Amino acid sequence: MRMVLVMIAALSLTGCGLVALPFRVTGDVISVVPVIGKPLGAPIHAVGDVID
């Protein structure tokens, strides 16, 4: 019964924005790093855009 409730809660929280959030945050954090941040952060952030 407990596992069923956990699964229902997990399914109700799923969505494109929730899945894309880690990619967007990681891309933004990496973008702050001098010199290599922009080239590395842009593709990761783009993955979040594709998910949405």
Side-chain angles (χ1 to χ4, degrees):
M1 183 65 171
R2 184 176 180 188
M3 192 63 167
V4 172
L5 291 175
V6 170
M7 292 298 284
I8 291 172
L11 289 174
S12 68
L13 294 175
T14 60
C16 293
L18 186 64
V19 173
L21 182 66
F23 293 103
R24 293 183 185 275
V25 170
T26 304
D28 289 341
V29 169
I30 291 174
S31 293
V32 178
V33 176
V35 181
I36 61 168
K38 294 270 183 189
L40 292 178
I44 296 172
H45 195 58
V47 171
D49 292 338
V50 170
I51 292 172
D52 279 342

